[in-house]
Amino acid sequence: MEHSAKGAAELVRSHIRKGRRFAVDCDLSKFFDTVVQDVLLCRMAKLIRDKRVLALIGKFLRAGVVVEGRLQATHLGVPQGGPLSPLLSNILLDDLDKELERRGHLFARYADDFIILVKSLRAGQRVMAGVQRFLERKLKLKLKLKVNKEKSKVAKVEECSFLGFIFKGGKIRWSDKAFREFKRRVRELTGRSWGVSMEYRMKKLAEYLRGWMNYFGISEYYRPIPEIDQWIRRRVRMCYWKQWRKCRTKVSNLLKLGTSLDTAIAAGLSRKGPWRLSRTMATQTGMTNKWLGEQGLISVKDLWVKIHYPATAR
C-alpha cells in the first residue's frame, strides 16, 4: 500500500526495472459501493480507541445520498473520491496486502486499485488464479469482495493502465484516457460560450493546470509538453478575440499590444472565425507568450521542468 497515487506509480516503475515485464491487473467490482459499513467500523474499532473519532467516521459513512431531491440512508458503501476513502480502503484491504507480501509478490496498491508485477505470462496467470481464490473465498464473506473478470487481465506491462498512468520502456507516462479527459476539461475552461471574465477564466485554468500537473507531472514523456502549451495558448487567444467582439475593439487592442497597423486592421476586418484567427500573425505578435503569462496563463512546460529538474528551474 502506498500513501499516494504517484508513489504507487513510482513503485510500479521500480518493479518493472527489476525485470518484471508482465502485470496482473485485478479489478475489484464496485468496491466502494459494496463495502459493509458495520464490518469497516468493527475493524476500525480495533485500531482506534477514541470513540469520538469512530462516531464521526460513522456519521460520515451514514450521511446518506440525495436521489431525485430526497435524502436516502446508506448502509453499504463508502463515498468514492472523499478524503477518507483511501484510508478506509487501506483498512479493509490490509489482509490482501499481507497475503501478497506473504507470497513474496512485487505489487503496488492505492485505495482499491492494485497491480502485481511478474516475470512471465504463465506466472501471471498462476498469480491471477491464486489472488482470485483468496479474494473470493477468504475475503468475500467478510467484505463482499468480488473480482470483475471482464476488466481483470494478465498482460504485458505496456498494455496495462494503473491510476491513470501507463509504463513504456520502464518509464511513467500518463494514459491516453487521462490525456483525453485533460483536453476535454481545458476545452471547457476555454470555451467561447462561457460568459465569464478573462480574469476569472485564467484563474480557474491555472488552478486546473497546477492540479493536473501535480498529479500527472511525474510523466517522463517530454515530447507532447511544448505542443500542449502551444494548444492552450491558442485557445486562450481565441477567447480574448471572441471577447473583444467589435472590429474597432480588436484593432485598438492589437495596436496597444504592438501589432502593426496594417496587420491589425486586416485581422480586425477578417470574416474568419476566432479559432482560425488565433493562429495568425496579428494575434501572435499582439498576444505574445510573455503577455499571456502576465495575464495569468501558466506554462505546462515550466511546471514539468520544476518537477523533473528543480535545480535548474527558474
Side-chain angles (χ1 to χ4, degrees):
M1 179 273 296
E2 285 298 311
H3 297 292
S4 70
K6 292 191 294 183
E10 289 170 343
L11 182 58
V12 170
R13 179 182 60 188
S14 70
H15 292 335
I16 292 170
R17 290 177 176 176
K18 293 175 183 177
R20 305 299 172 110
R21 299 296 179 180
F22 286 84
V24 178
D25 188 359
C26 198
D27 184 83
L28 298 180
S29 180
K30 299 180 180 179
F31 174 78
F32 285 102
D33 297 332
T34 57
V35 170
V36 181
Q37 294 177 0
D38 289 339
V39 172
L40 173 59
L41 290 171
C42 182
R43 288 192 167 214
M44 295 196 71
K46 296 177 181 178
L47 302 173
I48 302 173
R49 295 183 179 180
D50 193 328
K51 293 183 179 180
R52 293 173 298 176
V53 175
L54 289 172
L56 187 61
I57 294 174
K59 289 181 180 180
F60 169 76
L61 293 174
R62 295 182 176 127
V65 293
V66 177
V67 180
E68 296 181 354
R70 293 184 178 182
L71 181 65
Q72 294 185 0
T74 52
H75 301 288
L76 282 177
V78 175
Q80 190 169 358
L84 277 179
S85 297
L87 173 62
L88 300 180
S89 63
N90 288 342
I91 293 171
L92 281 171
L93 295 175
D94 185 55
D95 288 347
L96 173 63
D97 290 345
K98 289 178 178 177
E99 179 65 16
L100 295 178
E101 289 171 357
R102 186 186 69 79
R103 296 184 183 188
H105 294 316
L106 297 183
F107 71 98
R109 181 179 66 79
Y110 180 74
D112 64 323
D113 290 312
F114 71 96
I115 191 170
I116 306 168
L117 286 303
V118 296
K119 292 183 177 180
S120 68
L121 180 63
R122 190 172 181 178
Q125 292 169 342
R126 186 173 62 253
V127 169
M128 173 69 84
V131 170
Q132 286 182 346
R133 282 195 300 271
F134 176 77
L135 288 172
E136 296 189 346
R137 292 181 185 178
K138 296 192 176 181
L139 292 189
K140 185 176 181 180
L141 293 176
K142 296 180 183 178
L143 308 179
K144 305 297 183 185
L145 292 181
K146 185 178 180 181
V147 175
N148 187 333
K149 295 182 180 180
E150 292 182 359
K151 293 185 178 180
S152 300
K153 63 180 179 180
V154 179
K156 291 182 178 179
V157 171
E158 291 82 358
E159 299 172 11
C160 296
S161 174
F162 180 61
L163 299 173
F165 296 100
I166 58 174
F167 305 87
K168 291 191 175 182
K171 293 186 177 181
I172 301 174
R173 299 186 184 186
W174 56 64
S175 68
D176 291 340
K177 181 180 179 181
F179 189 53
R180 285 195 298 271
E181 174 58 22
F182 168 79
K183 296 188 77 173
R184 185 202 66 79
R185 183 62 179 141
V186 171
R187 286 192 185 100
E188 192 176 74
L189 292 168
T190 55
R192 290 179 288 178
S193 59
W194 192 22
V196 297
S197 68
M198 285 304 298
E199 181 181 2
Y200 180 78
R201 187 192 298 268
M202 296 293 250
K203 176 186 175 183
K204 301 306 290 185
L205 180 60
E207 288 175 356
Y208 178 71
L209 293 178
R210 285 195 181 95
W212 198 84
M213 286 301 291
N214 281 341
Y215 185 91
F216 287 103
I218 62 172
S219 169
E220 298 167 282
Y221 187 40
Y222 174 76
R223 185 175 178 180
I225 301 293
E227 296 176 4
I228 292 172
D229 266 346
Q230 293 171 14
W231 176 68
I232 294 174
R233 285 195 294 264
R234 185 178 178 185
R235 290 200 63 84
V236 171
R237 289 187 180 107
M238 175 190 68
C239 292
Y240 274 109
W241 194 256
K242 178 71 174 179
Q243 195 171 74
W244 289 345
R245 298 184 63 183
K246 295 182 180 180
C247 175
R248 181 179 297 177
T249 305
K250 293 173 181 176
V251 174
S252 175
N253 285 336
L254 286 176
L255 291 175
K256 290 177 182 177
L257 293 173
T259 304
S260 66
L261 179 61
D262 291 344
T263 304
I265 292 175
L269 295 174
S270 176
R271 293 181 177 272
K272 294 178 181 178
W275 178 246
R276 292 279 299 277
L277 289 166
S278 64
R279 203 177 181 181
T280 60
M281 177 73 72
T283 53
Q284 292 189 0
T285 56
M287 292 179 274
T288 62
N289 296 353
K290 181 181 178 181
W291 182 81
L292 291 174
E294 292 170 351
Q295 308 314 303
L297 181 61
I298 63 176
S299 167
V300 171
K301 178 182 175 181
D302 289 347
L303 294 174
W304 190 90
V305 169
K306 286 180 181 179
I307 293 169
H308 293 270
Y309 306 100
T312 59
R314 293 181 180 180

